[in-house]
Amino acid sequence: MTAWNVFRILGDCSHLLSKCILIFAIHRNRSAEGVSMITQGLYAIVFCSRYTDFFTETSSWNYFFKLFYIISSIYIIAVMRWIYPRTREREIAWKLGAAILLGSLVASPFAMLIFEGKQRWSFFTWLWDFSQILESICVLPQLLLLRQTTVPTVIDSFYLLALGSYRALYMLNWIWREFDVNDRPPNAVSVIFGIVQTALYVDFFWVYYTRQRVKLRGGGVVDADDIRRGWLLNRIFGNKRFEAADQDDEEGAPALGRGAGGGLNGNGAASSQRRNKWGSRGISISADDGVREHEAHDTDDDELDESAADPDAKMRDPDELARVLDDDDDEDGLPSASAHNNQAPAGVNNGNEWRD
């Protein structure tokens, strides 16, 4: 018997709503900045591997949602790839995405052998378990990108709330089914990795709603320091590899103006600015702080360039510059007598000794 209860219906609607919010936010801002291409690609793999019974589905409700999830995932990837600008993710994010994909592929056969009955062992059962494991952790590249980016993002609280409540409602659905004698019990793999996925979202929600945040262009920005408040996320992204990747970021470092001290203007300003953050792209609590520092740095550079420039370069009148150059030529062509006498070789007195 198919499980139909209010939690299942609300969970499906919440999942659909999260997709709609993300698509609307991308088109409203005409940008996909802050949206992880890796996470969206993994979501597309999740739905394509899970809904292998798409062409044999008899329920209109299930058919509509399966079709929407697959099409919307591919559509978001296409929009990010060819229409609107997106944030370029670092090498560490791609390595994380590859590890998530390969880890899910390796763990899914063992999950099937342990939690599925022998009569259910099949290729399609393996794909189902693989999709459940992959969905539970494929959000990690998105959370990593939100931690690293300093640009306004289209990810907001409504999207995160809708996406997180989808799995939370499904957990209530599983509890309902467990105590309903007329319904089939929930799948063990779905429950275990659904709890993992919900724990990641709950931990991130705690960070998102307790932080001091900046609202830019209608998007939410996560402060890097505040992610340390999360118990689970801090243990994932607090790894030394992620710390080293943030410190070695070449895109975040300025191309010019680096002094001998390794910081801006040689005074270590960049090091002090990064001291309390997880990387050079850590986000300031106040939006005006970075702007004022940047303006002050530009002003100092301009004053330094003006003081070191040739005084003749400040002359706007060409005639004045020409007169200065003529005076320089005259001075070079008519040396002073004292200078001439000083340069005369020893034993020569103005040529008098050569006269008859």
Side-chain angles (χ1 to χ4, degrees):
M1 179 179 178
T2 304
W4 290 104
N5 55 64
V6 63
F7 301 114
R8 159 78 185 274
I9 296 174
L10 291 177
D12 289 341
C13 293
S14 177
H15 198 186
L16 182 144
L17 182 62
S18 67
K19 291 284 186 180
C20 294
I21 291 175
L22 180 60
I23 294 173
F24 173 76
I26 291 175
H27 284 281
R28 181 191 61 185
N29 294 279
R30 303 184 64 84
S31 171
E33 294 172 343
V35 182
S36 173
M37 173 71 83
I38 302 172
T39 291
Q40 297 304 318
L42 293 177
Y43 272 130
I45 296 175
V46 166
F47 298 129
C48 291
S49 60
R50 177 178 300 175
Y51 301 134
T52 54
D53 60 344
F54 173 78
F55 295 101
T56 59
E57 180 61 59
T58 57
S59 172
S60 300
W61 176 275
N62 290 340
Y63 186 86
F64 168 75
F65 277 91
K66 291 177 181 179
L67 180 63
F68 177 81
Y69 292 150
I70 294 174
I71 293 179
S72 61
S73 299
I74 297 175
Y75 176 77
I76 291 174
I77 294 174
V79 168
M80 295 178 63
R81 177 63 180 83
W82 288 292
I83 298 180
Y84 294 125
R86 61 184 175 89
T87 305
R88 301 293 177 180
E89 297 178 75
R90 306 180 193 175
E91 182 181 358
I92 187 65
W94 289 98
K95 290 181 179 179
L96 176 62
I100 290 172
L101 182 61
L102 293 177
S104 301
L105 285 171
V106 172
S108 54
F110 296 99
M112 181 184 69
L113 296 176
I114 295 172
F115 298 106
E116 305 287 357
K118 189 174 182 180
Q119 66 278 6
R120 297 192 67 235
W121 290 358
S122 66
F123 175 74
F124 295 104
T125 302
W126 168 71
L127 285 179
W128 172 271
D129 292 342
F130 163 72
S131 69
Q132 294 290 335
I133 298 173
L134 181 60
E135 185 185 14
S136 66
I137 54 178
C138 69
V139 73
L140 290 178
Q142 178 64 75
L143 301 183
L144 177 63
L145 181 61
L146 287 178
R147 191 199 78 173
Q148 293 174 337
T149 187
T150 58
V151 298
T153 65
V154 299
I155 299 293
D156 56 18
S157 57
F158 299 106
Y159 170 73
L160 295 173
L161 179 63
L163 188 60
S165 60
Y166 141 67
R167 268 304 180 188
L169 290 169
Y170 255 70
M171 291 181 63
L172 297 176
N173 165 53
W174 296 328
I175 296 174
W176 180 286
R177 289 168 55 183
E178 182 65 28
F179 290 98
D180 188 356
V181 295
N182 297 321
D183 202 349
R184 58 185 175 86
N187 180 268
V189 176
S190 299
V191 173
I192 293 173
F193 291 97
I195 294 174
V196 173
Q197 182 178 1
T198 305
L200 288 174
Y201 279 113
V202 169
D203 200 44
F204 184 70
F205 286 157
W206 170 255
V207 171
Y208 195 89
Y209 285 105
T210 59
R211 78 187 193 283
Q212 289 178 299
R213 61 184 182 272
V214 182
K215 283 292 185 179
L216 298 174
R217 207 177 60 194
V221 183
V222 179
D223 191 282
D225 286 338
D226 293 329
I227 289 185
R228 295 181 177 179
R229 299 179 184 177
W231 183 86
L232 187 58
L233 293 180
N234 186 32
R235 279 153 181 77
I236 295 175
F237 295 128
N239 188 280
K240 294 181 179 180
R241 293 184 178 180
F242 294 102
E243 296 283 353
D246 288 337
Q247 294 175 0
D248 296 339
D249 177 31
E250 295 181 356
E251 294 183 16
L256 298 175
R258 187 173 295 277
L264 295 176
N265 295 333
N267 58 3
S271 300
S272 62
Q273 182 180 358
R274 191 182 300 132
R275 181 178 59 221
N276 294 325
K277 296 179 172 60
W278 283 23
S280 57
R281 292 194 176 195
I283 301 168
S284 300
I285 294 177
S286 174
D288 295 334
D289 291 345
V291 175
R292 291 170 181 168
E293 292 176 2
H294 182 68
E295 291 177 351
H297 173 57
D298 292 342
T299 304
D300 294 340
D301 289 344
D302 293 341
E303 293 176 354
L304 181 62
D305 292 341
E306 291 179 0
S307 61
D310 189 348
D312 295 340
K314 299 181 180 180
M315 300 180 182
R316 297 182 180 180
D317 188 0
D319 295 335
E320 183 181 358
L321 179 60
R323 287 193 297 270
V324 172
L325 294 176
D326 291 340
D327 294 340
D328 293 340
D329 294 338
D330 294 340
E331 292 176 358
D332 294 339
L334 298 175
S336 61
S338 60
H340 181 73
N341 292 334
N342 293 335
Q343 295 177 356
V348 179
N349 296 322
N350 297 329
N352 294 330
E353 68 272 14
W354 299 101
R355 296 176 183 176
D356 294 337

PDB file of all heavy atoms in Angstrom, residues 333-349:
ATOM      1  N   GLY A 333      74.160  72.656 -22.275  1.00  0.00           N
ATOM      2  CA  GLY A 333      75.063  73.098 -23.338  1.00  0.00           C
ATOM      3  C   GLY A 333      76.044  74.159 -22.898  1.00  0.00           C
ATOM      4  O   GLY A 333      77.065  74.375 -23.545  1.00  0.00           O
ATOM      5  N   LEU A 334      75.775  74.910 -21.821  1.00  0.00           N
ATOM      6  CA  LEU A 334      76.661  75.985 -21.348  1.00  0.00           C
ATOM      7  C   LEU A 334      77.118  75.668 -19.941  1.00  0.00           C
ATOM      8  O   LEU A 334      76.556  76.159 -18.957  1.00  0.00           O
ATOM      9  CB  LEU A 334      75.914  77.341 -21.380  1.00  0.00           C
ATOM     10  CG  LEU A 334      75.462  77.803 -22.774  1.00  0.00           C
ATOM     11  CD1 LEU A 334      74.643  79.073 -22.658  1.00  0.00           C
ATOM     12  CD2 LEU A 334      76.686  78.050 -23.692  1.00  0.00           C
ATOM     13  N   PRO A 335      78.183  74.907 -19.800  1.00  0.00           N
ATOM     14  CA  PRO A 335      78.651  74.596 -18.442  1.00  0.00           C
ATOM     15  C   PRO A 335      79.300  75.812 -17.810  1.00  0.00           C
ATOM     16  O   PRO A 335      79.836  76.677 -18.476  1.00  0.00           O
ATOM     17  CB  PRO A 335      79.653  73.465 -18.685  1.00  0.00           C
ATOM     18  CG  PRO A 335      80.115  73.658 -20.088  1.00  0.00           C
ATOM     19  CD  PRO A 335      78.963  74.200 -20.837  1.00  0.00           C
ATOM     20  N   SER A 336      79.274  75.888 -16.551  1.00  0.00           N
ATOM     21  CA  SER A 336      79.848  77.027 -15.816  1.00  0.00           C
ATOM     22  C   SER A 336      81.367  76.964 -15.859  1.00  0.00           C
ATOM     23  O   SER A 336      81.977  75.913 -16.062  1.00  0.00           O
ATOM     24  CB  SER A 336      79.350  76.994 -14.367  1.00  0.00           C
ATOM     25  OG  SER A 336      79.773  75.800 -13.743  1.00  0.00           O
ATOM     26  N   ALA A 337      81.973  78.160 -15.675  1.00  0.00           N
ATOM     27  CA  ALA A 337      83.435  78.249 -15.727  1.00  0.00           C
ATOM     28  C   ALA A 337      84.073  77.478 -14.592  1.00  0.00           C
ATOM     29  O   ALA A 337      85.121  76.862 -14.745  1.00  0.00           O
ATOM     30  CB  ALA A 337      83.865  79.733 -15.666  1.00  0.00           C
ATOM     31  N   SER A 338      83.455  77.541 -13.436  1.00  0.00           N
ATOM     32  CA  SER A 338      84.018  76.811 -12.300  1.00  0.00           C
ATOM     33  C   SER A 338      84.029  75.321 -12.561  1.00  0.00           C
ATOM     34  O   SER A 338      84.990  74.630 -12.228  1.00  0.00           O
ATOM     35  CB  SER A 338      83.228  77.133 -11.033  1.00  0.00           C
ATOM     36  OG  SER A 338      81.875  76.749 -11.215  1.00  0.00           O
ATOM     37  N   ALA A 339      82.962  74.849 -13.185  1.00  0.00           N
ATOM     38  CA  ALA A 339      82.922  73.426 -13.505  1.00  0.00           C
ATOM     39  C   ALA A 339      83.968  73.087 -14.530  1.00  0.00           C
ATOM     40  O   ALA A 339      84.607  72.046 -14.488  1.00  0.00           O
ATOM     41  CB  ALA A 339      81.521  73.047 -14.002  1.00  0.00           C
ATOM     42  N   HIS A 340      84.202  74.024 -15.515  1.00  0.00           N
ATOM     43  CA  HIS A 340      85.196  73.765 -16.553  1.00  0.00           C
ATOM     44  C   HIS A 340      86.597  73.727 -15.961  1.00  0.00           C
ATOM     45  O   HIS A 340      87.426  72.898 -16.321  1.00  0.00           O
ATOM     46  CB  HIS A 340      85.088  74.841 -17.628  1.00  0.00           C
ATOM     47  CG  HIS A 340      86.071  74.617 -18.759  1.00  0.00           C
ATOM     48  ND1 HIS A 340      85.909  73.611 -19.689  1.00  0.00           N
ATOM     49  CD2 HIS A 340      87.218  75.278 -19.085  1.00  0.00           C
ATOM     50  CE1 HIS A 340      86.897  73.646 -20.574  1.00  0.00           C
ATOM     51  NE2 HIS A 340      87.714  74.667 -20.215  1.00  0.00           N
ATOM     52  N   ASN A 341      86.847  74.662 -15.049  1.00  0.00           N
ATOM     53  CA  ASN A 341      88.160  74.693 -14.429  1.00  0.00           C
ATOM     54  C   ASN A 341      88.398  73.467 -13.567  1.00  0.00           C
ATOM     55  O   ASN A 341      89.519  72.953 -13.490  1.00  0.00           O
ATOM     56  CB  ASN A 341      88.313  75.971 -13.581  1.00  0.00           C
ATOM     57  CG  ASN A 341      88.343  77.213 -14.464  1.00  0.00           C
ATOM     58  OD1 ASN A 341      88.733  77.126 -15.633  1.00  0.00           O
ATOM     59  ND2 ASN A 341      87.939  78.358 -13.903  1.00  0.00           N
ATOM     60  N   ASN A 342      87.353  73.007 -12.917  1.00  0.00           N
ATOM     61  CA  ASN A 342      87.510  71.845 -12.059  1.00  0.00           C
ATOM     62  C   ASN A 342      87.784  70.588 -12.853  1.00  0.00           C
ATOM     63  O   ASN A 342      88.452  69.675 -12.391  1.00  0.00           O
ATOM     64  CB  ASN A 342      86.257  71.640 -11.199  1.00  0.00           C
ATOM     65  CG  ASN A 342      86.084  72.757 -10.187  1.00  0.00           C
ATOM     66  OD1 ASN A 342      87.071  73.390  -9.802  1.00  0.00           O
ATOM     67  ND2 ASN A 342      84.834  73.000  -9.776  1.00  0.00           N
ATOM     68  N   GLN A 343      87.285  70.555 -14.124  1.00  0.00           N
ATOM     69  CA  GLN A 343      87.448  69.363 -14.935  1.00  0.00           C
ATOM     70  C   GLN A 343      88.725  69.414 -15.774  1.00  0.00           C
ATOM     71  O   GLN A 343      89.038  68.449 -16.455  1.00  0.00           O
ATOM     72  CB  GLN A 343      86.232  69.174 -15.858  1.00  0.00           C
ATOM     73  CG  GLN A 343      84.942  68.891 -15.080  1.00  0.00           C
ATOM     74  CD  GLN A 343      83.767  68.776 -16.009  1.00  0.00           C
ATOM     75  OE1 GLN A 343      83.917  68.977 -17.219  1.00  0.00           O
ATOM     76  NE2 GLN A 343      82.611  68.465 -15.449  1.00  0.00           N
ATOM     77  N   ALA A 344      89.490  70.536 -15.773  1.00  0.00           N
ATOM     78  CA  ALA A 344      90.701  70.646 -16.600  1.00  0.00           C
ATOM     79  C   ALA A 344      91.779  69.735 -16.057  1.00  0.00           C
ATOM     80  O   ALA A 344      91.937  69.621 -14.840  1.00  0.00           O
ATOM     81  CB  ALA A 344      91.209  72.088 -16.609  1.00  0.00           C
ATOM     82  N   PRO A 345      92.525  69.070 -16.948  1.00  0.00           N
ATOM     83  CA  PRO A 345      93.575  68.161 -16.475  1.00  0.00           C
ATOM     84  C   PRO A 345      94.709  68.943 -15.831  1.00  0.00           C
ATOM     85  O   PRO A 345      94.921  70.112 -16.072  1.00  0.00           O
ATOM     86  CB  PRO A 345      94.028  67.453 -17.773  1.00  0.00           C
ATOM     87  CG  PRO A 345      93.658  68.383 -18.872  1.00  0.00           C
ATOM     88  CD  PRO A 345      92.435  69.082 -18.427  1.00  0.00           C
ATOM     89  N   ALA A 346      95.473  68.228 -14.990  1.00  0.00           N
ATOM     90  CA  ALA A 346      96.586  68.871 -14.265  1.00  0.00           C
ATOM     91  C   ALA A 346      97.687  69.284 -15.243  1.00  0.00           C
ATOM     92  O   ALA A 346      98.008  68.566 -16.173  1.00  0.00           O
ATOM     93  CB  ALA A 346      97.149  67.893 -13.226  1.00  0.00           C
ATOM     94  N   GLY A 347      98.280  70.489 -14.991  1.00  0.00           N
ATOM     95  CA  GLY A 347      99.378  70.996 -15.826  1.00  0.00           C
ATOM     96  C   GLY A 347      98.936  71.801 -17.016  1.00  0.00           C
ATOM     97  O   GLY A 347      99.757  72.254 -17.792  1.00  0.00           O
ATOM     98  N   VAL A 348      97.647  72.035 -17.211  1.00  0.00           N
ATOM     99  CA  VAL A 348      97.116  72.799 -18.348  1.00  0.00           C
ATOM    100  C   VAL A 348      96.426  74.013 -17.807  1.00  0.00           C
ATOM    101  O   VAL A 348      95.516  73.872 -16.990  1.00  0.00           O
ATOM    102  CB  VAL A 348      96.187  71.946 -19.219  1.00  0.00           C
ATOM    103  CG1 VAL A 348      95.637  72.790 -20.362  1.00  0.00           C
ATOM    104  CG2 VAL A 348      96.919  70.735 -19.748  1.00  0.00           C
ATOM    105  N   ASN A 349      96.822  75.243 -18.244  1.00  0.00           N
ATOM    106  CA  ASN A 349      96.230  76.499 -17.769  1.00  0.00           C
ATOM    107  C   ASN A 349      95.575  77.202 -18.923  1.00  0.00           C
ATOM    108  O   ASN A 349      96.166  78.090 -19.534  1.00  0.00           O
ATOM    109  CB  ASN A 349      97.292  77.389 -17.132  1.00  0.00           C
ATOM    110  CG  ASN A 349      97.895  76.761 -15.874  1.00  0.00           C
ATOM    111  OD1 ASN A 349      97.178  76.136 -15.107  1.00  0.00           O
ATOM    112  ND2 ASN A 349      99.192  76.961 -15.696  1.00  0.00           N
TER     113      ASN A 349
END
